[in-house]
């Protein structure tokens, strides 16, 4: 629509001088098209925070096909009091550490803030008046604004945060009331200032067993009474308030008319209650960048925070040294973006030094699980083997001979499938290859996924170590939950159920991450971080004079669990996804010969690698036939990983 507006404007400017004077009155009369263009321009300015004309024009160009471009739907606005400087940095550290240790909670959806005014609507043509209202309210409150805000930690069953004491809180509430009054007069808005206890939320709606950990992390935040506070006016699109927000990780070119184009960094609004028309692995969403709606492959995205799509309009800093405050605030923001990126490598360096010292007399072997039954018979495999009375029967020889008992019933196998018969054969062949190569396995760790524990069991049986070694289940090396089909936390078998199924698991092992800490659609940074922490604990748990440590996990672990051992930083998310796609469901990057594992690296590099682009060709479920070779199971020693990466087969 924006392009059509520009196209209409250009001829008008070119022909204006040639028009007869008698038509001047008609030209001044607003047409429906010009009114539509006016609505679009105002919407573009409001959506970009009225910063520059260039940003508004760019927004219009991106939204040229937005069906709602001409709809006079206003933005929603809210006023927050935000900390800056060292306190903000400490709060951001808490945000990251609480997510790592205790999973995501509602507080992670928004940045650290104190709510002054709830969200309210304002017409696009009156947004400038809101800015004036903020300035007037700030000027009136500056002299009386409290020089320090004492923060008191408060904790309850589902809430953790700082409360602002009554004296300073009364002055802040007075500022909010003045802003609401000015906004009502200047911008004709109905603004509801906060009248309850002013608070800065640290955690909300978390698991009860995480409360103690969260409180310990919160007590490590030194309250800074001298912190400089800024009143910030934000806006959001009111149409997508209760939607889930996704962030595109990779570029996707639509292959059907009803699909959505994705560029890295795009934000997509998805209504979880309106996904009936989307098939497995796909979602229906609306792009914030273009306003268009369509189908998109879910594994091209990760979950984002609600506030990632909010737009900051104007701020007011309560200090006489406004310029100094703005500079410090900018520096803090810059540190935020770089500090998180640098902090993780900083922790990795210490972890790597420990790992490399521990590896002086040890080697780590990372193994991918064997073929899973749903890769052969599709997602409907469970329907094929269930009788009407809910019992299991074996309709094909590649189905497992039986299924272990689990308290949640057969339905739970949909998201935690077992090995196929071919997968069991692959695992035994891998154990046989290890036996023939003389590799001495001294400890075994496995992802909690059933297919991984089964693979470890069959390898140990071929090595004749099933009585001597127990499998230590480590949830921290479970698959990146973003790639799991389920939108709920992984429903995996407990240690008791695994033991009852004849799997020799170590019930005394204390994992780096509890099974309950796995959350759906985790970010890539969280996934890489838990893998690095988990592999560090697994290596440090084994004495230095032991033999090879065997880790049985998923295709993604071939990279995420080995790069810390090699002293390498995590790959970018895009490179990681491209690499894992090259580990095909029926192929091995080095062919069957590499499974011999003499410790000298792969015997050859293939001419081509099967690439599976998830969601790239069809939204229909794909039926995959069984493999014709034994290359599905991937085994890599430390030397093999080094040779693999040097050969360039790992991809870039």
């Amino acid at each position: 629509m924006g392009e059509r507006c520009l196209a209409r404007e250009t001829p008008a400017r070119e022909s204006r001088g040639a028009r007869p004077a008698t038509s001047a009155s008609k030209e001044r009369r607003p047409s429906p098209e010009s009114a539509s263009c006016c609505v679009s321009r105002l919407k573009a300015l409001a959506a970009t925070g009225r910063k520059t004309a260039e940003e508004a024009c760019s927004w219009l160009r991106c939204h040229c096909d937005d069906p709602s471009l001409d709809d006079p739907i206003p933005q929603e606005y809210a006023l927050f009091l935000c900390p800056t400087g060292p306190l903000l940095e400490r709060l951001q550290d808490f945000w990251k550490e609480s997510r790592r240790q205790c999973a995501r909670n509602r507080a992670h959806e928004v940045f650290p803030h104190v709510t002054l005014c709830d969200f309210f609507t304002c017409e696009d043509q009156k947004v400038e008046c809101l800015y004036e209202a903020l300035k007037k309210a700030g000027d009136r409150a500056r002299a009386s604004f409290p020089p320090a805000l004492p923060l008191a930690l408060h904790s309850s069953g589902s809430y953790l945060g700082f409360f602002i004491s009554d004296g300073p809180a009364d002055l802040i509430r007075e500022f909010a009331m003045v802003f609401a009054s000015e906004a009502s007069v200047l911008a004709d808005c109905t603004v509801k200032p906060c009248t309850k206890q002013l608070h800065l939320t640290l955690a909300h709606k978390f698991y009860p067993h995480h409360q103690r950990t969260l409180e310990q992390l919160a007590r490590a935040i030194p309250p800074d009474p001298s912190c400089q506070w800024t009143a910030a006016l934000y806006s959001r699109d009111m149409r997508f308030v209760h939607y889930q927000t996704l962030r595109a990780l990779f570029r996707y070119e639509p292959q059907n008319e009803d699909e959505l184009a994705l560029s890295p960094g795009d934000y997509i609004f998805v209504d979880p209650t309106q996904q009936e028309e989307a098939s497995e692995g796909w979602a229906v969403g609306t792009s914030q960048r273009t306003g268009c709606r369509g189908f998109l492959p879910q594994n091209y995205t990760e979950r984002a925070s609600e506030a990632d799509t909010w737009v900051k309009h104007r701020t007011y800093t309560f200090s006489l040294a406004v310029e100094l405050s703005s500079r410090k605030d900018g520096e803090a923001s810059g540190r935020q973006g770089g500090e998180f990126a640098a902090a993780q490598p900083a922790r990795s360096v210490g972890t790597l030094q420990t790992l490399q010292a521990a590896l002086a007399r040890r080697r780590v072997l990372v193994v991918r699980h064997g073929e899973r039954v749903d890769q052969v018979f599709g997602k409907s495999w469970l329907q094929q083997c269930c009788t009407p009375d809910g019992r299991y029967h074996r309709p094909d020889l590649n189905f497992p001979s039986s299924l272990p008992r689990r308290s949640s019933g057969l339905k739970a196998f949909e998201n935690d499938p077992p090995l196929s018969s071919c997968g069991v054969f692959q695992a035994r062949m891998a154990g046989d290859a290890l036996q023939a190569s003389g590799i001495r396995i001294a400890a075994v760790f496995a992802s909690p996924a059933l297919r991984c524990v089964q693979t470890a069991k069959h390898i140990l049986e071929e090595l004749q170590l099933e009585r001597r070694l127990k499998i230590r289940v480590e949830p921290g090396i479970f698959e990146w939950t973003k790639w799991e089909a389920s939108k709920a936390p992984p429903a995996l078998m407990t240690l008791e159920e695994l033991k009852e199924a004849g799997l020799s698991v170590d019930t005394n092992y204390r994992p780096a991450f509890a099974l309950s800490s796995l959350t759906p659609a985790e970010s890539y940074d969280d996934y890489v971080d838990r893998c690095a922490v988990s592999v560090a604990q697994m290596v440090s748990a084994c004495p230095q004079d032991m033999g090879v440590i065997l880790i049985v996990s998923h295709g993604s672990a071939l990279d995420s669990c080995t790069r810390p051992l090699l002293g390498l930083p995590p790959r970018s998310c895009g490179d990681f996804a491209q690499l894992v796609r090259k580990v095909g469901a029926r192929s091995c990057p080095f062919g069957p010969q590499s499974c011999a594992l003499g410790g000298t690296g792969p015997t050859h590099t293939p001419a081509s690698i099967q690439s599976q682009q998830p969601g790239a060709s069809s939204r229909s479920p794909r039926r995959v036939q069984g493999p014709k070779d034994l290359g599905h199971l991937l085994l890599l020693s430390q030397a093999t990983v080094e040779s693999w990466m040097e050969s360039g087969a790992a991809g870039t």
Side-chain angles (χ1 to χ4, degrees):
M1 179 61 70
E3 290 182 356
R4 292 197 295 271
C5 291
L6 294 175
R8 285 194 295 271
E9 290 170 357
T10 302
R13 286 196 298 270
E14 291 175 353
S15 61
R16 185 171 296 171
R19 281 181 182 241
T22 55
S23 63
S25 59
K26 293 182 181 180
E27 186 176 331
R28 287 192 297 268
R29 188 175 301 138
S31 64
E33 290 82 1
S34 63
S36 174
C37 286
C38 183
V39 170
S40 303
R41 294 191 193 99
L42 289 171
K43 179 175 287 190
L45 288 169
T48 56
R50 287 183 172 260
K51 295 179 178 66
T52 65
E54 290 76 11
E55 288 187 36
C57 288
S58 176
W59 188 94
L60 270 178
R61 285 192 293 269
C62 291
H63 285 255
C64 61
D65 295 322
D66 184 352
S68 66
L69 183 61
D70 295 334
D71 296 341
I73 304 174
Q75 296 276 309
E76 279 191 332
Y77 297 83
L79 186 64
F80 303 115
L81 188 65
C82 304
T84 65
L87 178 58
L88 175 61
E89 294 174 4
R90 292 300 184 94
L91 290 170
Q92 289 166 342
D93 287 342
F94 172 87
W95 250 244
K96 185 174 180 65
E97 194 63 20
S98 63
R99 284 189 62 176
R100 188 186 73 82
Q101 294 192 32
C102 305
R104 189 185 188 105
N105 62 68
R106 281 291 301 168
H108 293 123
E109 294 292 334
V110 190
F111 43 81
H113 71 283
V114 177
T115 300
L116 300 183
C117 296
D118 293 332
F119 276 97
F120 59 93
T121 59
C122 178
E123 297 178 11
D124 293 340
Q125 65 269 26
K126 297 180 179 179
V127 175
E128 287 282 358
C129 299
L130 277 185
Y131 306 160
E132 184 180 352
L134 176 59
K135 186 177 185 306
K136 285 188 174 183
D139 290 343
R140 287 180 55 180
R142 174 186 290 185
S144 60
F145 193 85
L149 293 183
L151 302 176
L153 186 63
H154 175 79
S155 178
S156 66
S158 61
Y159 175 84
L160 179 68
F162 288 121
F163 280 8
I164 300 177
S165 56
D166 291 340
D170 290 340
L171 297 175
I172 297 173
R173 279 192 287 264
E174 184 179 346
F175 159 73
M177 293 178 65
V178 172
F179 169 78
S181 176
E182 293 288 348
S184 175
V185 173
L186 298 174
D188 194 21
C189 297
T190 302
V191 182
K192 182 181 179 182
C194 182
T195 57
K196 299 180 181 179
Q197 171 70 56
L198 294 184
H199 57 274
L200 192 155
T201 300
L202 297 176
H204 183 42
K205 293 187 178 179
F206 46 82
Y207 293 109
H209 61 276
H210 288 155
Q211 182 172 358
R212 179 173 297 180
T213 302
L214 290 169
E215 289 177 355
Q216 291 175 349
L217 293 173
R219 291 191 185 99
I221 304 174
D224 184 6
S226 62
C227 170
Q228 205 157 39
W229 295 82
T230 296
L233 185 67
Y234 281 83
S235 72
R236 68 182 182 185
D237 194 321
M238 63 185 300
R239 297 173 297 169
F240 308 113
V241 171
H242 299 295
Y243 283 43
Q244 187 181 71
T245 306
L246 303 179
R247 181 190 296 106
L249 300 174
F250 323 108
R251 181 176 300 278
Y252 178 72
E253 295 295 336
Q255 301 187 18
N256 296 291
E257 291 183 356
D258 58 354
E259 293 177 4
L260 195 63
L262 299 179
S263 295
D266 283 0
Y267 289 103
I268 313 298
F269 299 111
V270 174
D271 185 354
T273 65
Q274 301 292 327
Q275 299 300 313
E276 296 84 1
E277 52 186 321
S279 56
E280 185 69 32
W282 290 77
V284 182
T286 302
S287 170
Q288 185 197 35
R289 180 175 61 88
T290 65
C292 297
R293 185 175 185 270
F295 292 95
L296 64 141
Q298 288 181 312
N299 53 358
Y300 275 61
T301 65
E302 69 174 354
R303 184 177 175 183
S305 298
E306 176 185 348
D308 288 343
T309 59
W310 294 359
V311 177
K312 181 190 286 188
H313 286 252
R314 297 293 186 271
T315 61
Y316 190 99
T317 302
F318 293 98
S319 171
L320 296 177
V322 177
E323 294 181 359
L324 178 61
S325 167
S326 299
R327 183 169 67 250
K328 288 182 178 179
D329 192 12
E331 291 171 358
S333 299
R335 285 194 297 269
Q336 173 190 356
E339 186 175 15
F340 284 171
Q344 186 170 324
R347 290 196 300 271
S348 299
V349 169
T351 303
L352 293 173
Q353 291 173 348
T354 304
L355 288 173
Q356 290 165 347
L359 283 169
R361 286 179 285 176
R362 286 175 293 177
R363 288 198 301 170
V364 173
L365 187 66
V366 182
V367 180
R368 184 188 182 185
H369 60 78
E371 178 188 80
R372 40 194 278 186
V373 67
D374 60 329
Q375 287 180 331
V376 183
F377 299 100
K379 292 296 182 182
S380 62
W381 71 274
L382 204 54
Q383 301 173 11
Q384 302 174 42
C385 63
C386 282
T387 61
D389 58 353
R391 292 185 299 171
Y392 173 79
H393 78 100
R394 190 182 190 185
D396 186 280
L397 288 179
N398 204 16
F399 272 78
S401 57
S402 63
L403 291 179
R405 190 191 69 82
R406 55 198 308 171
S407 58
S408 48
L410 293 178
K411 182 73 174 176
F413 286 106
E414 283 189 348
N415 296 318
D416 186 25
L419 293 177
S420 66
S421 297
C422 186
V424 172
F425 178 65
Q426 291 170 339
R428 292 189 174 279
M429 288 296 292
D432 184 63
L434 292 174
Q435 178 79 359
S437 64
I439 292 180
R440 182 170 64 94
I441 301 297
V444 182
F445 297 87
S447 161
L450 175 59
R451 55 193 181 274
C452 295
V453 182
Q454 288 178 325
T455 300
K457 169 184 180 291
H458 294 301
I459 290 177
L460 288 178
E461 287 178 348
E462 289 298 314
L463 293 171
Q464 299 180 358
L465 295 174
E466 70 276 12
R467 295 181 182 274
R468 203 156 56 85
L469 294 180
K470 290 190 175 182
I471 303 168
R472 306 178 189 182
V473 177
E474 177 51 69
I477 58 173
F478 182 68
E479 180 69 275
W480 184 14
T481 59
K482 180 62 187 177
W483 287 346
E484 289 295 300
S486 175
K487 297 180 181 179
L492 304 172
M493 294 179 67
T494 64
L495 293 180
E496 290 73 19
E497 289 175 332
L498 292 172
K499 190 174 181 179
E500 184 182 341
L503 300 166
S504 181
V505 295
D506 187 351
T507 55
N508 296 321
Y509 173 67
R510 298 292 297 271
F513 288 84
L515 195 60
S516 59
S517 67
L518 298 177
T519 57
E522 66 184 332
S523 69
Y524 176 64
D525 289 340
D526 289 342
Y527 165 68
V528 171
D529 190 42
R530 70 170 163 87
C531 285
V533 172
S534 299
V535 77
Q537 171 161 318
M538 290 186 290
V539 171
S540 61
C542 302
Q544 291 192 9
D545 57 351
M546 293 181 65
V548 175
I549 301 170
L550 176 64
I551 298 176
V552 183
S553 187
H554 308 266
S556 55
L558 299 176
D559 186 73
S560 57
C561 288
T562 53
R563 288 182 74 85
L565 301 175
L566 299 174
L568 299 173
R571 296 177 187 272
S572 69
C573 188
D575 290 347
F576 172 78
Q578 292 292 338
L579 169 64
V580 176
R581 290 192 194 105
K582 292 179 181 179
V583 183
R586 292 180 294 163
S587 65
C588 168
F590 313 121
Q593 293 92 325
S594 65
C595 293
L597 282 180
T600 58
T603 56
H604 73 287
T605 301
S608 63
I609 298 176
Q610 178 182 352
S611 176
Q612 294 183 340
Q613 298 289 342
S617 59
S618 173
R619 290 194 301 273
S620 301
R622 187 168 59 93
R623 182 178 176 86
V624 182
Q625 299 300 322
K628 295 182 174 60
D629 56 49
L630 301 179
H632 175 67
L633 197 65
L634 307 182
L635 300 93
L636 301 175
S637 68
Q638 182 189 5
T640 303
V641 173
E642 291 172 333
S643 302
W644 181 33
M645 293 182 177
E646 289 172 1
S647 70
T652 58

